[in-house]
Amino acid sequence: MSAPGSRYYAVNDRPVAVVPTADGGADCVVFDFATGEMAPDRSYFEYVTPGSGKDVDALTETEFEARLAAYRVDAGLRAVAQVREWAQLLCATTGGSAQVAAALGFAGRLERGEIALDPAPPGYSTLRISTGMAAGVYVTLKPAGRLLTRQVFDAGLGVGREAPRVHPDSLQIVAYVVAGTPATCVIFAGFERPDAPVKEIMLRRDDND
């Protein structure tokens, strides 16, 4: 986030930075709670102007980076809690893709047993719900940001169990079990590296015997 000439703020406690651009101008970026990224939002130029009426604190770069890191941890834990909630709702379902979508509060067109949400929920680039051949229903998500790390998953769900890699270049899959009735849900998180954010998340409903 560091760039010479940048100015750092907290607007109503939200991290905001005014950063120089290549053409000699400036842009305003704000913390996106859904992705953990700093996203352009030029409406905040007005807020960091003296007399705007907003609760604005000018920060040093060190103060800004510390606040940004803390916000990312908090947002990541909230995102994992949301994944857990979806898994718990999935555990309680008995039907196929359409019934699961309704239980999770999503609406979409059912095509060939699959529902792809458009747009996906905030923080995700894709979300698909599909019916498997033999193992219940799957909910597959691809995060749009870098919030969800292995550390955040373990903190929010307990330490996961690593599955053997099928190929050295394949994702490291970590499984987290959410028990429920009438089914159990397993959350699979795929990581390229231990320190990398999750690449893909899959929730699988396994019907209890």
Side-chain angles (χ1 to χ4, degrees), residues 11-177:
V11 178
N12 292 338
D13 290 331
R14 186 176 192 175
V16 176
V18 176
V19 296
T21 56
D23 62 3
D27 205 353
C28 197
V29 292
V30 305
F31 181 73
D32 182 349
F33 289 91
T35 65
E37 305 298 326
M38 296 296 293
D41 188 339
R42 293 186 174 180
S43 69
Y44 273 74
F45 274 123
E46 176 185 349
Y47 301 152
V48 299
T49 301
S52 68
K54 295 290 184 179
D55 181 10
V56 180
D57 295 318
L59 305 175
T60 66
E61 182 178 350
T62 299
E63 291 171 334
F64 177 83
E65 292 295 345
R67 182 172 298 222
L68 185 60
Y71 269 57
R72 280 177 171 154
V73 170
D74 181 69
L77 291 173
R78 290 175 184 270
V80 168
Q82 177 66 81
V83 172
R84 176 193 283 275
E85 181 180 339
W86 285 334
Q88 290 170 333
L89 291 170
L90 181 60
C91 286
T93 64
T94 56
S97 299
Q99 291 83 357
V100 169
L104 270 59
F106 300 139
R109 179 181 298 179
L110 181 65
E111 294 184 359
R112 298 182 180 180
E114 179 177 287
I115 294 175
L117 266 65
D118 186 18
Y124 297 91
S125 59
T126 62
L127 187 151
R128 300 190 311 276
I129 302 171
S130 55
T131 303
M133 293 293 291
V137 176
Y138 301 87
V139 180
T140 306
L141 309 101
K142 288 191 176 181
R146 296 170 289 176
L147 277 179
L148 295 174
T149 63
R150 173 72 183 275
Q151 182 179 11
V152 169
F153 263 95
D154 284 355
L157 299 172
V159 177
R161 177 176 54 83
E162 293 186 2
R165 287 182 186 257
V166 297
H167 188 275
D169 295 330
S170 63
L171 295 177
Q172 175 64 67
I173 304 299
V174 183
Y176 303 86
V177 177

